[in-house]
Amino acid sequence: MDRELTIYNTLTRRKEIFKPLHAPHVGMYVCGPTVYGDGHLGHARPAITFDILYRYLTHLGYKVRYVRNITDVGHLEHDADEGEDKIAKKARLEQKEPMEVVQYYLNRYHKAMEALGVLPPSIEPHASGHIIEQIDFVKKILDAGYAYESEGSIYFDVKKYNKDHHYGKLSGRNIDDLLETTRELDGQNEKHCALDFALWKKAQPEHIMRWPSPWSDGFPGWHMECSAMGTKYLGEEFDIHGGGMDLIFPHHECEIAQSTAALGKETVHYWMHNNMITINGQKMGKSLGNFITLDEFFTGSHKLLAQPYTAMTIRFFILQAHYRSTVDFSNEALQAAEKGLARLTDAYNRLMRLKASKETSGIELKNYRELCEAALCDDLNTPIVISHLYDASKAINTVTDGKGTISEADLEELKSVFNLFMVDLLGLRVSEDSSSSSDAYKGAVDLLLDIRKAAKANKDWATSDKIRDELAKLGFNVKDTKDGFEWSL
């Protein structure tokens, strides 16, 4: 842990040197999905962003406890406090048990995350499995005097809290401005103030998901789950809390208020948020109806898609931009990412086939390990890491083309750099399928190219050109090298 990681802290709005609370242990909590529908590209970005952080912290030598929650109760249709529970609504429409809906979409989410190369978290707690902890947390807030009961529901008293603390510190909002711009909504007359938010909601007779509590049969407010589960698994103070920037307000703002009210101190040391993925400048999301599911990307079945895209292309597309910058979806951008990934993968495969010479000549090799480390230490700057790997690819191609040589030591170092940064830390899979059908496929192409090589040696240019041209029509890229040939699809 001799390298210092600098990360952007949303709370202070500046880069800070990361100093974990209980080094070498790191506690990291990331808001996971609400599992009531298929995941879309917007869900992939936070998963990939914090997967990179998880991988890099582990690489630096930290023991990371990574908690990613599953929201399966309490996220209401209209806003945080009103409307039907999103999962209960899905269950009602599909005539299923709510947990049946949760399990179905959670299985699909896990499958998509595995395809995207996202490592599983250390703990993946469900909100519905921690009702007791959430009730206990509500009791602490009531005892501290920052909440009140109204018609069987418990609400957080934002005005009272703000007198002693600062509600709005994460998002930069001012409570007076919020009060001016907040209108009273139908059904909210049981609150003392429109800004107050539910800690526990009394369930209406038709509400499917309900649990007994000291106040009513009901369910926890959406914000409560993260406060309760974060402190249960990571302690009253922990290092990193992450999620999409759309969660800064009100979700994470309310989390800070809840935890401070219950525990008398702030829980999180570093708040990190990734930016959005947009379509034509608009946030991609279910509420706007402009989302494309990950399955649709993988199959190319959505009307906005010109073709299918692999999971690794999507991962690479996301990593090409810094996690705090906006990424706008377009087929052109994804096709460019596809080509960029193919270029990097080809360089990796060439590198693994290279043979060392006595000395390095005809190429310039920089200290790519140091450059890539510096980029990741600088707030996880994955685009810069990729640019360094591209630069190293030039040297690989030069040696492959017979215009330079590389020593044994330099070759092993370059292989180590690509394996560490491209495969282990960026999580880009490049391993080839070793199945018998794949071996037969590659063997058939190699056989054709061996025939072409023999034809060239015999100056049979017609046969040589025909094989090359026919393979090109099928999508094969054939390149002659000093050792014979190489090809890619």
Side-chain angles (χ1 to χ4, degrees), residues 252-303:
H252 290 163
E253 196 72 76
C254 292
E255 262 193 75
I256 290 176
Q258 289 171 166
S259 298
T260 304
L263 305 172
K265 59 185 175 182
E266 289 188 30
T267 299
V268 179
H269 284 214
Y270 300 89
W271 287 90
M272 291 181 65
H273 293 89
N274 62 272
N275 215 320
M276 299 179 294
I277 292 182
T278 59
I279 296 181
N280 298 321
Q282 244 192 346
K283 175 195 167 187
M284 179 183 288
K286 285 186 170 65
S287 60
L288 297 172
N290 65 349
F291 67 96
I292 305 173
T293 70
L294 291 171
D295 275 350
E296 287 171 335
F297 273 104
F298 299 158
T299 60
S301 58
H302 195 280
K303 62 182 179 181

Short mmCIF file of all heavy atoms in Angstrom, two decimals, residues 252-303:
data_model
loop_
_atom_site.label_atom_id
_atom_site.label_comp_id
_atom_site.label_asym_id
_atom_site.label_seq_id
_atom_site.Cartn_x
_atom_site.Cartn_y
_atom_site.Cartn_z
N HIS A 252 -29.30 9.52 -0.95
CA HIS A 252 -28.12 9.56 -0.11
C HIS A 252 -28.15 10.72 0.87
O HIS A 252 -27.58 10.63 1.97
CB HIS A 252 -26.86 9.60 -0.98
CG HIS A 252 -26.61 8.30 -1.69
ND1 HIS A 252 -25.75 8.19 -2.76
CD2 HIS A 252 -27.10 7.05 -1.47
CE1 HIS A 252 -25.74 6.93 -3.18
NE2 HIS A 252 -26.55 6.22 -2.41
N GLU A 253 -28.80 11.81 0.49
CA GLU A 253 -28.97 12.92 1.42
C GLU A 253 -29.77 12.47 2.64
O GLU A 253 -29.43 12.80 3.79
CB GLU A 253 -29.69 14.08 0.73
CG GLU A 253 -29.58 15.42 1.44
CD GLU A 253 -28.18 16.01 1.33
OE1 GLU A 253 -27.83 16.53 0.27
OE2 GLU A 253 -27.46 15.95 2.35
N CYS A 254 -30.81 11.70 2.40
CA CYS A 254 -31.64 11.20 3.50
C CYS A 254 -30.88 10.17 4.33
O CYS A 254 -31.08 10.08 5.55
CB CYS A 254 -32.93 10.61 2.97
SG CYS A 254 -34.04 11.84 2.23
N GLU A 255 -30.03 9.39 3.67
CA GLU A 255 -29.21 8.42 4.40
C GLU A 255 -28.32 9.12 5.43
O GLU A 255 -28.19 8.68 6.57
CB GLU A 255 -28.32 7.65 3.43
CG GLU A 255 -28.85 6.29 3.03
CD GLU A 255 -27.76 5.51 2.34
OE1 GLU A 255 -26.84 5.03 3.03
OE2 GLU A 255 -27.83 5.38 1.11
N ILE A 256 -27.67 10.20 5.00
CA ILE A 256 -26.80 10.94 5.91
C ILE A 256 -27.59 11.44 7.11
O ILE A 256 -27.16 11.32 8.27
CB ILE A 256 -26.13 12.13 5.18
CG1 ILE A 256 -25.11 11.61 4.16
CG2 ILE A 256 -25.46 13.06 6.17
CD1 ILE A 256 -24.47 12.71 3.33
N ALA A 257 -28.79 12.01 6.84
CA ALA A 257 -29.62 12.55 7.91
C ALA A 257 -30.05 11.44 8.87
O ALA A 257 -29.97 11.59 10.10
CB ALA A 257 -30.83 13.25 7.31
N GLN A 258 -30.51 10.31 8.33
CA GLN A 258 -30.94 9.19 9.17
C GLN A 258 -29.83 8.69 10.08
O GLN A 258 -30.02 8.50 11.28
CB GLN A 258 -31.40 8.02 8.29
CG GLN A 258 -32.68 8.23 7.55
CD GLN A 258 -32.96 7.14 6.54
OE1 GLN A 258 -34.06 7.02 6.05
NE2 GLN A 258 -31.98 6.34 6.20
N SER A 259 -28.66 8.45 9.48
CA SER A 259 -27.55 7.87 10.23
C SER A 259 -27.03 8.84 11.28
O SER A 259 -26.73 8.44 12.42
CB SER A 259 -26.42 7.47 9.27
OG SER A 259 -26.88 6.47 8.37
N THR A 260 -26.94 10.12 10.92
CA THR A 260 -26.49 11.12 11.89
C THR A 260 -27.47 11.25 13.04
O THR A 260 -27.08 11.35 14.22
CB THR A 260 -26.30 12.48 11.21
OG1 THR A 260 -25.39 12.34 10.10
CG2 THR A 260 -25.75 13.52 12.17
N ALA A 261 -28.78 11.22 12.72
CA ALA A 261 -29.81 11.32 13.75
C ALA A 261 -29.78 10.13 14.70
O ALA A 261 -29.92 10.27 15.92
CB ALA A 261 -31.18 11.44 13.10
N ALA A 262 -29.58 8.94 14.15
CA ALA A 262 -29.62 7.72 14.97
C ALA A 262 -28.35 7.51 15.76
O ALA A 262 -28.40 7.03 16.91
CB ALA A 262 -29.88 6.51 14.07
N LEU A 263 -27.20 7.84 15.17
CA LEU A 263 -25.92 7.49 15.78
C LEU A 263 -25.16 8.67 16.35
O LEU A 263 -24.15 8.50 17.04
CB LEU A 263 -25.03 6.79 14.73
CG LEU A 263 -25.65 5.56 14.04
CD1 LEU A 263 -24.77 5.08 12.91
CD2 LEU A 263 -25.91 4.46 15.05
N GLY A 264 -25.64 9.89 16.03
CA GLY A 264 -24.96 11.09 16.53
C GLY A 264 -23.70 11.43 15.78
O GLY A 264 -22.92 12.30 16.19
N LYS A 265 -23.47 10.78 14.64
CA LYS A 265 -22.28 11.05 13.83
C LYS A 265 -22.54 10.57 12.42
O LYS A 265 -23.43 9.75 12.17
CB LYS A 265 -21.06 10.33 14.40
CG LYS A 265 -21.24 8.81 14.49
CD LYS A 265 -20.06 8.14 15.16
CE LYS A 265 -20.31 6.65 15.35
NZ LYS A 265 -19.19 5.99 16.06
N GLU A 266 -21.76 11.08 11.48
CA GLU A 266 -21.88 10.63 10.09
C GLU A 266 -21.23 9.26 9.95
O GLU A 266 -20.22 8.96 10.59
CB GLU A 266 -21.24 11.64 9.14
CG GLU A 266 -22.04 12.93 9.02
CD GLU A 266 -21.50 13.84 7.93
OE1 GLU A 266 -20.95 13.32 6.95
OE2 GLU A 266 -21.63 15.07 8.08
N THR A 267 -21.80 8.45 9.09
CA THR A 267 -21.34 7.08 8.92
C THR A 267 -20.26 6.95 7.85
O THR A 267 -19.30 6.22 8.01
CB THR A 267 -22.54 6.18 8.54
OG1 THR A 267 -23.50 6.22 9.59
CG2 THR A 267 -22.11 4.75 8.33
N VAL A 268 -20.41 7.69 6.75
CA VAL A 268 -19.58 7.49 5.56
C VAL A 268 -18.46 8.53 5.50
O VAL A 268 -18.69 9.72 5.71
CB VAL A 268 -20.44 7.57 4.29
CG1 VAL A 268 -19.58 7.39 3.05
CG2 VAL A 268 -21.56 6.53 4.34
N HIS A 269 -17.26 8.07 5.17
CA HIS A 269 -16.11 8.97 5.04
C HIS A 269 -15.95 9.51 3.61
O HIS A 269 -15.55 10.66 3.43
CB HIS A 269 -14.83 8.26 5.46
CG HIS A 269 -14.70 8.12 6.95
ND1 HIS A 269 -13.50 8.17 7.62
CD2 HIS A 269 -15.64 7.95 7.93
CE1 HIS A 269 -13.69 8.04 8.93
NE2 HIS A 269 -15.00 7.89 9.12
N TYR A 270 -16.21 8.68 2.62
CA TYR A 270 -16.06 9.10 1.21
C TYR A 270 -17.32 8.72 0.44
O TYR A 270 -17.71 7.56 0.43
CB TYR A 270 -14.85 8.42 0.56
CG TYR A 270 -13.53 8.73 1.21
CD1 TYR A 270 -13.05 7.92 2.24
CD2 TYR A 270 -12.74 9.80 0.80
CE1 TYR A 270 -11.84 8.19 2.85
CE2 TYR A 270 -11.53 10.07 1.39
CZ TYR A 270 -11.08 9.26 2.42
OH TYR A 270 -9.87 9.54 3.02
N TRP A 271 -17.91 9.70 -0.21
CA TRP A 271 -19.06 9.46 -1.08
C TRP A 271 -18.57 9.55 -2.53
O TRP A 271 -18.00 10.57 -2.93
CB TRP A 271 -20.15 10.50 -0.84
CG TRP A 271 -20.90 10.31 0.44
CD1 TRP A 271 -20.59 10.83 1.65
CD2 TRP A 271 -22.08 9.52 0.64
NE1 TRP A 271 -21.51 10.44 2.59
CE2 TRP A 271 -22.44 9.63 2.00
CE3 TRP A 271 -22.89 8.76 -0.21
CZ2 TRP A 271 -23.56 9.00 2.53
CZ3 TRP A 271 -23.99 8.12 0.32
CH2 TRP A 271 -24.33 8.23 1.68
N MET A 272 -18.82 8.50 -3.30
CA MET A 272 -18.41 8.47 -4.71
C MET A 272 -19.63 8.21 -5.59
O MET A 272 -20.46 7.35 -5.28
CB MET A 272 -17.37 7.38 -4.96
CG MET A 272 -16.02 7.64 -4.33
SD MET A 272 -14.86 6.31 -4.70
CE MET A 272 -14.68 6.47 -6.49
N HIS A 273 -19.73 8.96 -6.69
CA HIS A 273 -20.89 8.81 -7.58
C HIS A 273 -20.44 8.82 -9.03
O HIS A 273 -19.68 9.70 -9.45
CB HIS A 273 -21.89 9.94 -7.35
CG HIS A 273 -22.54 9.90 -6.00
ND1 HIS A 273 -21.99 10.52 -4.90
CD2 HIS A 273 -23.67 9.27 -5.57
CE1 HIS A 273 -22.77 10.30 -3.84
NE2 HIS A 273 -23.79 9.54 -4.22
N ASN A 274 -20.92 7.84 -9.78
CA ASN A 274 -20.66 7.84 -11.22
C ASN A 274 -21.73 8.66 -11.94
O ASN A 274 -22.86 8.80 -11.46
CB ASN A 274 -20.66 6.41 -11.77
CG ASN A 274 -21.99 5.71 -11.61
OD1 ASN A 274 -22.23 5.10 -10.58
ND2 ASN A 274 -22.87 5.79 -12.61
N ASN A 275 -21.36 9.19 -13.09
CA ASN A 275 -22.30 9.98 -13.88
C ASN A 275 -23.21 9.07 -14.70
O ASN A 275 -23.10 7.85 -14.67
CB ASN A 275 -21.55 10.95 -14.79
CG ASN A 275 -22.29 12.27 -14.96
OD1 ASN A 275 -23.50 12.29 -15.09
ND2 ASN A 275 -21.55 13.37 -14.97
N MET A 276 -24.10 9.70 -15.45
CA MET A 276 -25.17 8.98 -16.14
C MET A 276 -24.77 8.54 -17.54
O MET A 276 -23.82 9.05 -18.13
CB MET A 276 -26.40 9.87 -16.25
CG MET A 276 -26.99 10.31 -14.93
SD MET A 276 -28.43 11.38 -15.16
CE MET A 276 -27.69 12.82 -15.93
N ILE A 277 -25.52 7.58 -18.05
CA ILE A 277 -25.51 7.27 -19.48
C ILE A 277 -26.76 7.88 -20.07
O ILE A 277 -27.85 7.75 -19.51
CB ILE A 277 -25.48 5.75 -19.72
CG1 ILE A 277 -24.12 5.19 -19.27
CG2 ILE A 277 -25.72 5.43 -21.19
CD1 ILE A 277 -23.96 3.71 -19.49
N THR A 278 -26.61 8.60 -21.16
CA THR A 278 -27.73 9.32 -21.75
C THR A 278 -28.00 8.84 -23.18
O THR A 278 -27.15 8.23 -23.82
CB THR A 278 -27.45 10.83 -21.77
OG1 THR A 278 -26.25 11.08 -22.54
CG2 THR A 278 -27.26 11.39 -20.38
N ILE A 279 -29.20 9.12 -23.63
CA ILE A 279 -29.58 8.93 -25.03
C ILE A 279 -30.06 10.29 -25.54
O ILE A 279 -31.03 10.84 -25.01
CB ILE A 279 -30.70 7.89 -25.19
CG1 ILE A 279 -30.22 6.51 -24.74
CG2 ILE A 279 -31.18 7.82 -26.63
CD1 ILE A 279 -31.25 5.41 -24.90
N ASN A 280 -29.35 10.82 -26.50
CA ASN A 280 -29.66 12.15 -27.03
C ASN A 280 -29.72 13.20 -25.91
O ASN A 280 -30.59 14.06 -25.88
CB ASN A 280 -30.99 12.14 -27.80
CG ASN A 280 -30.93 11.23 -29.01
OD1 ASN A 280 -29.91 11.17 -29.69
ND2 ASN A 280 -32.01 10.50 -29.27
N GLY A 281 -28.79 13.06 -24.95
CA GLY A 281 -28.70 14.04 -23.89
C GLY A 281 -29.65 13.82 -22.74
O GLY A 281 -29.60 14.55 -21.74
N GLN A 282 -30.53 12.81 -22.82
CA GLN A 282 -31.49 12.51 -21.75
C GLN A 282 -31.04 11.29 -20.98
O GLN A 282 -30.54 10.33 -21.56
CB GLN A 282 -32.88 12.22 -22.35
CG GLN A 282 -33.92 13.22 -21.95
CD GLN A 282 -35.33 12.72 -22.33
OE1 GLN A 282 -35.49 11.78 -23.10
NE2 GLN A 282 -36.33 13.36 -21.79
N LYS A 283 -31.21 11.33 -19.65
CA LYS A 283 -30.84 10.20 -18.82
C LYS A 283 -31.57 8.93 -19.29
O LYS A 283 -32.75 8.97 -19.58
CB LYS A 283 -31.20 10.49 -17.36
CG LYS A 283 -30.96 9.29 -16.43
CD LYS A 283 -31.65 9.49 -15.10
CE LYS A 283 -31.69 8.20 -14.31
NZ LYS A 283 -32.50 8.29 -13.08
N MET A 284 -30.83 7.83 -19.36
CA MET A 284 -31.44 6.55 -19.69
C MET A 284 -32.05 5.97 -18.44
O MET A 284 -31.39 5.83 -17.41
CB MET A 284 -30.39 5.59 -20.26
CG MET A 284 -30.94 4.22 -20.62
SD MET A 284 -29.67 3.07 -21.22
CE MET A 284 -29.32 3.76 -22.83
N GLY A 285 -33.34 5.63 -18.49
CA GLY A 285 -33.99 5.06 -17.32
C GLY A 285 -35.39 4.58 -17.61
O GLY A 285 -36.02 4.99 -18.58
N LYS A 286 -35.87 3.71 -16.74
CA LYS A 286 -37.21 3.14 -16.91
C LYS A 286 -38.29 4.21 -16.82
O LYS A 286 -39.28 4.17 -17.55
CB LYS A 286 -37.45 2.07 -15.83
CG LYS A 286 -36.72 0.76 -16.08
CD LYS A 286 -37.12 -0.27 -15.05
CE LYS A 286 -36.58 -1.65 -15.42
NZ LYS A 286 -35.14 -1.73 -15.40
N SER A 287 -38.10 5.19 -15.92
CA SER A 287 -39.14 6.20 -15.72
C SER A 287 -39.35 7.04 -16.97
O SER A 287 -40.44 7.56 -17.21
CB SER A 287 -38.77 7.11 -14.54
OG SER A 287 -37.54 7.75 -14.77
N LEU A 288 -38.31 7.19 -17.80
CA LEU A 288 -38.41 7.98 -19.02
C LEU A 288 -38.77 7.13 -20.23
O LEU A 288 -39.04 7.66 -21.31
CB LEU A 288 -37.09 8.72 -19.28
CG LEU A 288 -36.69 9.74 -18.20
CD1 LEU A 288 -35.29 10.27 -18.46
CD2 LEU A 288 -37.69 10.90 -18.16
N GLY A 289 -38.74 5.83 -20.07
CA GLY A 289 -39.12 4.93 -21.16
C GLY A 289 -38.14 4.90 -22.32
O GLY A 289 -38.49 4.47 -23.42
N ASN A 290 -36.90 5.34 -22.09
CA ASN A 290 -35.92 5.38 -23.19
C ASN A 290 -34.77 4.42 -22.96
O ASN A 290 -33.69 4.60 -23.51
CB ASN A 290 -35.38 6.80 -23.35
CG ASN A 290 -34.58 7.28 -22.15
OD1 ASN A 290 -34.59 6.62 -21.10
ND2 ASN A 290 -33.90 8.39 -22.27
N PHE A 291 -34.99 3.42 -22.13
CA PHE A 291 -33.89 2.52 -21.79
C PHE A 291 -33.81 1.35 -22.76
O PHE A 291 -34.80 0.98 -23.40
CB PHE A 291 -34.03 2.01 -20.36
CG PHE A 291 -35.21 1.11 -20.15
CD1 PHE A 291 -35.06 -0.27 -20.20
CD2 PHE A 291 -36.47 1.63 -19.89
CE1 PHE A 291 -36.15 -1.11 -20.01
CE2 PHE A 291 -37.56 0.80 -19.69
CZ PHE A 291 -37.40 -0.57 -19.75
N ILE A 292 -32.61 0.80 -22.87
CA ILE A 292 -32.36 -0.41 -23.65
C ILE A 292 -31.82 -1.44 -22.68
O ILE A 292 -30.83 -1.18 -21.99
CB ILE A 292 -31.36 -0.15 -24.78
CG1 ILE A 292 -31.83 1.00 -25.69
CG2 ILE A 292 -31.14 -1.42 -25.61
CD1 ILE A 292 -30.79 1.42 -26.72
N THR A 293 -32.45 -2.60 -22.59
CA THR A 293 -32.00 -3.60 -21.63
C THR A 293 -30.67 -4.20 -22.10
O THR A 293 -30.32 -4.17 -23.28
CB THR A 293 -33.02 -4.73 -21.46
OG1 THR A 293 -33.06 -5.53 -22.65
CG2 THR A 293 -34.41 -4.17 -21.15
N LEU A 294 -29.94 -4.78 -21.15
CA LEU A 294 -28.67 -5.41 -21.48
C LEU A 294 -28.88 -6.59 -22.42
O LEU A 294 -28.07 -6.81 -23.33
CB LEU A 294 -27.97 -5.84 -20.19
CG LEU A 294 -27.46 -4.68 -19.32
CD1 LEU A 294 -27.00 -5.18 -17.97
CD2 LEU A 294 -26.35 -3.92 -20.02
N ASP A 295 -29.95 -7.35 -22.20
CA ASP A 295 -30.24 -8.46 -23.11
C ASP A 295 -30.46 -7.97 -24.54
O ASP A 295 -30.06 -8.63 -25.51
CB ASP A 295 -31.49 -9.23 -22.64
CG ASP A 295 -31.16 -10.27 -21.59
OD1 ASP A 295 -29.95 -10.54 -21.38
OD2 ASP A 295 -32.09 -10.82 -20.97
N GLU A 296 -31.10 -6.81 -24.67
CA GLU A 296 -31.31 -6.24 -26.01
C GLU A 296 -30.00 -5.82 -26.64
O GLU A 296 -29.82 -5.94 -27.87
CB GLU A 296 -32.28 -5.06 -25.92
CG GLU A 296 -33.73 -5.49 -25.68
CD GLU A 296 -34.65 -4.32 -25.36
OE1 GLU A 296 -34.18 -3.28 -24.87
OE2 GLU A 296 -35.87 -4.45 -25.61
N PHE A 297 -29.06 -5.33 -25.84
CA PHE A 297 -27.73 -5.03 -26.38
C PHE A 297 -27.04 -6.30 -26.84
O PHE A 297 -26.42 -6.33 -27.91
CB PHE A 297 -26.87 -4.34 -25.31
CG PHE A 297 -27.04 -2.85 -25.25
CD1 PHE A 297 -27.78 -2.27 -24.24
CD2 PHE A 297 -26.47 -2.03 -26.20
CE1 PHE A 297 -27.94 -0.90 -24.17
CE2 PHE A 297 -26.62 -0.65 -26.15
CZ PHE A 297 -27.36 -0.08 -25.14
N PHE A 298 -27.15 -7.36 -26.04
CA PHE A 298 -26.46 -8.61 -26.38
C PHE A 298 -27.05 -9.27 -27.62
O PHE A 298 -26.34 -9.95 -28.37
CB PHE A 298 -26.54 -9.59 -25.20
CG PHE A 298 -25.90 -9.08 -23.93
CD1 PHE A 298 -26.28 -9.60 -22.70
CD2 PHE A 298 -24.94 -8.09 -23.96
CE1 PHE A 298 -25.70 -9.15 -21.52
CE2 PHE A 298 -24.35 -7.61 -22.77
CZ PHE A 298 -24.74 -8.14 -21.55
N THR A 299 -28.37 -9.08 -27.86
CA THR A 299 -29.03 -9.72 -29.00
C THR A 299 -29.23 -8.77 -30.19
O THR A 299 -29.52 -9.22 -31.30
CB THR A 299 -30.40 -10.28 -28.60
OG1 THR A 299 -31.22 -9.20 -28.13
CG2 THR A 299 -30.26 -11.31 -27.48
N GLY A 300 -29.12 -7.46 -29.94
CA GLY A 300 -29.36 -6.48 -30.99
C GLY A 300 -30.82 -6.33 -31.35
O GLY A 300 -31.15 -5.85 -32.44
N SER A 301 -31.73 -6.71 -30.43
CA SER A 301 -33.15 -6.76 -30.76
C SER A 301 -33.90 -5.43 -30.60
O SER A 301 -35.04 -5.32 -31.02
CB SER A 301 -33.83 -7.82 -29.89
OG SER A 301 -33.65 -7.53 -28.51
N HIS A 302 -33.27 -4.42 -29.99
CA HIS A 302 -33.95 -3.14 -29.81
C HIS A 302 -33.91 -2.33 -31.11
O HIS A 302 -32.93 -2.37 -31.86
CB HIS A 302 -33.29 -2.35 -28.68
CG HIS A 302 -34.10 -1.21 -28.17
ND1 HIS A 302 -34.14 0.01 -28.83
CD2 HIS A 302 -34.91 -1.08 -27.09
CE1 HIS A 302 -34.93 0.84 -28.15
NE2 HIS A 302 -35.41 0.20 -27.10
N LYS A 303 -34.99 -1.57 -31.36
CA LYS A 303 -35.09 -0.81 -32.61
C LYS A 303 -34.00 0.24 -32.77
O LYS A 303 -33.67 0.65 -33.90
CB LYS A 303 -36.47 -0.15 -32.71
CG LYS A 303 -36.75 0.86 -31.61
CD LYS A 303 -38.15 1.45 -31.72
CE LYS A 303 -38.43 2.45 -30.60
NZ LYS A 303 -39.80 3.01 -30.68
#
